[in-house]
Amino acid sequence: MVRAVTSDLLPELTLPSPMVDLRDDRLERRGVRVLLKRDDLIHPELPGNKWRKLKYNLAEAVEQGHDTLLTFGGAYSNHVRATAAAGHYFGFKTVGVIRGEQHLPLNSSLAYAVDRGMRLTYLDRISYRSKHSPQVVEQLERQFGRFYLLPEGGSNELAVRGCAELPGEIVSAFDVICCPAGTGGTAAGIATALTDSESLIAFSALKGGEFLTDDIGELQRQACGGIRGNWRVETRCHFGGYAKRTADLDAFIADFALRHGIQLDWVYVAKMMFGLFSMVEQGEFSPGTRIVAVVTGS
Ligand SMILES: *Cc1c(COP(=O)(O)O)cnc(C)c1O
């Protein structure tokens, strides 16, 4: 049974997410202040931008009378996991359409999703590229019946609306806000809610992240009819590509955990943080700059 989408059903929901002042000599030397927006602490199973992106979509699915959510992702997708959790808490059936072939035993992400009641199906890499096409969607409807479709990564105009609530939670003044980007929904949303004196840098976690400039623009057009806010995509910090890592990145993560007691997610958050610290050390921010870095998950 689908239940109305109210936060009563998520007793552990922590919103607004906490802000933490990052005390670090590498920042102090440059006169730059960094505050972390700890969205990773929003909920243990629906962390960070995933809850923000799902919230209005869940309400819309209820509104349209759906009892099933269907979405797409890779075998390690945090969005697929979060959709399975949302289904569990709000009473939706869920279907996860996974890129590539089935590998048994299931990895921990997919095992979690199945444990939360999600049915999994697999699409070969070629069909996966046209996953949002009418042909593929009709085929899935024949298989699973009527469903509310959440696009890959959960990024659509309602996701942008959810993420647009983030800047309003920040009470201290800032000049620049940084977030990691996969599909760009989070960046698109945050940027729509900035004032004229604030700007956003979206750090691509993927190689060839130039495409994100078009995608973020398109998401903003769908959500609010045009490009909003002062933002740009930083493409230098992908460390070889999506879910690729290097010894330098691992050393940065270990050092950050020692200094600050925070284990950075290596797929997205650590790449942004490494990029941000490099830019600070290169003097790319003038002294006095106040920066918010969004910890989108863990
Ligand atoms: C999914 C995810 C992202 C990517 O967000 P987009 O809106 O797709 O750009 C960033 N960080 C973390 C931790 C994530 O799980």
Side-chain angles (χ1 to χ4, degrees):
M1 249 298 276
V2 176
R3 293 179 279 267
V5 177
T6 72
S7 43
D8 300 356
L9 295 171
L10 285 177
E12 294 175 88
L13 202 64
T14 304
L15 279 171
S17 60
M19 299 286 296
V20 178
D21 205 341
L22 202 60
R23 305 300 301 271
D24 192 300
D25 52 347
R26 295 168 291 183
L27 305 172
E28 275 147 30
R29 247 194 326 265
R30 293 286 178 178
V32 168
R33 178 167 182 218
V34 173
L35 289 161
L36 301 183
K37 176 77 171 147
R38 294 289 308 270
D39 264 18
D40 55 319
L41 302 177
I42 288 181
H43 190 272
E45 293 177 83
L46 286 151
N49 59 0
K50 299 302 181 277
W51 169 247
R52 295 190 191 277
K53 292 205 280 189
L54 279 168
K55 183 175 132 184
Y56 290 116
N57 277 294
L58 297 174
E60 181 64 18
V62 173
E63 182 73 30
Q64 293 181 11
H66 286 281
D67 67 357
T68 304
L69 307 172
L70 179 140
T71 197
F72 302 88
Y76 291 93
S77 165
N78 290 336
H79 164 68
V80 167
R81 281 179 68 113
T83 302
H88 168 76
Y89 285 106
F90 296 100
F92 292 98
K93 296 177 214 160
T94 55
V95 178
V97 183
I98 309 302
R99 181 180 61 233
E101 285 158 23
Q102 185 179 35
H103 292 284
L104 293 173
L106 295 175
N107 70 40
S108 59
S109 293
L110 294 182
Y112 166 87
V114 169
D115 188 54
R116 282 303 190 207
M118 183 175 260
R119 281 177 292 170
L120 300 179
T121 186
Y122 295 83
L123 268 188
D124 65 82
R125 278 158 205 280
I126 311 259
S127 315
Y128 192 86
R129 267 180 232 145
S130 47
K131 59 189 165 301
H132 298 140
S133 72
Q135 291 87 331
V136 173
V137 172
E138 276 165 28
Q139 169 63 35
L140 289 166
E141 273 168 344
R142 277 196 293 276
Q143 222 177 325
F144 296 102
R146 188 171 169 263
F147 51 73
Y148 184 84
L149 188 150
L150 290 158
E152 182 175 49
S155 288
N156 58 14
E157 57 183 274
L158 292 175
V160 170
R161 230 178 89 196
C163 294
E165 292 175 351
L166 188 151
E169 295 175 11
I170 304 172
V171 287
S172 44
F174 64 93
D175 308 296
V176 178
I177 183 164
C178 299
C179 74
T183 60
T186 308
I190 294 172
T192 61
L194 298 178
T195 65
D196 289 345
S197 64
E198 299 161 351
S199 64
L200 172 132
I201 307 174
F203 289 80
S204 173
L206 298 86
K207 187 149 71 183
E210 289 76 15
F211 75 90
L212 279 167
T213 302
D214 286 343
D215 288 6
I216 294 171
E218 182 53 32
L219 282 163
Q220 289 197 330
R221 267 190 292 275
Q222 287 167 16
C224 35
I227 306 284
R228 293 287 182 280
N230 179 4
W231 55 269
R232 71 176 185 85
V233 178
E234 175 56 63
T235 57
R236 291 175 292 181
C237 308
H238 57 73
F239 293 86
Y242 181 71
K244 297 256 166 48
R245 61 207 293 176
T246 65
D248 275 357
L249 185 67
D250 288 344
F252 178 81
I253 292 170
D255 176 66
F256 198 91
L258 275 179
R259 286 172 188 255
H260 303 298
I262 298 173
Q263 189 66 38
L264 299 174
D265 150 73
W266 62 273
V267 178
Y268 291 104
V269 181
K271 292 180 181 183
M272 167 195 71
M273 207 68 79
F274 188 109
L276 174 57
F277 272 77
S278 312
M279 290 168 71
V280 169
E281 282 170 2
Q282 302 290 316
E284 293 184 37
F285 298 103
S286 48
T289 306
R290 297 158 301 180
I291 300 169
V292 173
V294 184
V295 181
T296 39
S298 52

